[in-house]
Amino acid sequence: MADNSRRGAADLGLPLMVVAFLVIGGFMYWLQAEAATQKALQLVEVTEPEVATDASGATIIDPADIQLDASSFEGQLIRIEHLKVASLLGTQGFWLELPNGNPFLVSMNDAVMAQALAITMGGTATASGMLTAMTPEIAQAWVDAGTIGEGDQLAAEFATHYLDAGFVGVGTGN
């Protein structure tokens, strides 16, 4: 009859169990150290970006930030710099050409209109003011004031937002 005894195998069970527990304990210690390192890295990475402002406190923005949706800046004092003037809108304002080719409406307030700036199509302009949502009532008020014609009213209503400019600079030295 053959000897099917397992005497030698039983002697390794206890040492293998101890080694397995030590390996698991070492792995858990390593995971805890890695988690603490990752947590420290996450705390360092959370920083607020600096926002550039001009002398009046307006946030200088990249025109690309408003070309698709300007609503995130609604109600804020912003400044957009050195853009090409696409066309004029009566004596009330003008359209700036954004990087994607879309026009963006700038409406000058009474003080800026009184300066009688030489804004020309194809020239460059810098403007700062409050970003405001356009409504048909606003465009109608401009028509009633005589600063835009009735034909310009439809064009103005096309804009979803406009810059209510308290400052406009023309040319390259804005």
Side-chain angles (χ1 to χ4, degrees), residues 54 56-60 73 75-79 128-131 163-164:
D54 68 3
S56 68
T59 304
I60 300 171
F73 293 101
Q76 295 182 30
L77 187 61
I78 65 167
R79 178 179 175 112
S128 67
M130 188 72 61
L131 188 74
L163 185 64
D164 187 11

Side-chain angles (χ1 to χ4, degrees), residues 1-7:
M1 181 153 185
D3 186 20
N4 289 334
S5 155
R6 295 190 49 171
R7 279 184 176 186

Side-chain angles (χ1 to χ4, degrees), residues 10-157:
D11 292 338
L12 291 178
L14 184 62
L16 286 175
M17 182 178 68
V18 170
V19 168
F21 281 124
L22 290 174
V23 168
I24 291 172
F27 180 68
M28 296 299 269
Y29 178 78
W30 178 81
L31 277 178
Q32 180 184 13
E34 287 296 309
T37 303
Q38 288 297 323
K39 186 174 183 178
L41 286 176
Q42 287 175 352
L43 293 176
V44 170
E45 290 174 6
V46 177
T47 58
E48 290 294 322
E50 290 186 31
V51 177
T53 59
D54 68 3
S56 68
T59 304
I60 300 171
I61 64 164
D62 182 0
D65 293 341
I66 61 171
Q67 65 188 5
L68 296 177
D69 183 18
S71 60
S72 61
F73 293 101
E74 192 173 307
Q76 295 182 30
L77 187 61
I78 65 167
R79 178 179 175 112
I80 47 180
E81 300 182 320
H82 311 294
L83 292 177
K84 181 180 175 184
V85 176
S87 66
L88 302 177
L89 184 74
T91 59
Q92 181 75 37
F94 53 94
W95 298 91
L96 290 175
E97 185 175 318
L98 295 176
N100 65 356
N102 287 343
F104 185 77
L105 181 59
V106 176
S107 169
M108 299 180 287
N109 67 17
D110 292 337
V112 176
M113 282 191 291
Q115 295 175 9
L117 298 169
I119 301 170
T120 58
M121 263 180 52
T124 60
T126 294
S128 67
M130 188 72 61
L131 188 74
T132 308
M134 175 55 89
T135 65
E137 293 78 21
I138 292 171
Q140 184 61 50
W142 294 345
V143 170
D144 294 343
T147 56
I148 67 171
E150 289 187 24
D152 289 332
Q153 181 178 4
L154 291 175
E157 288 177 1

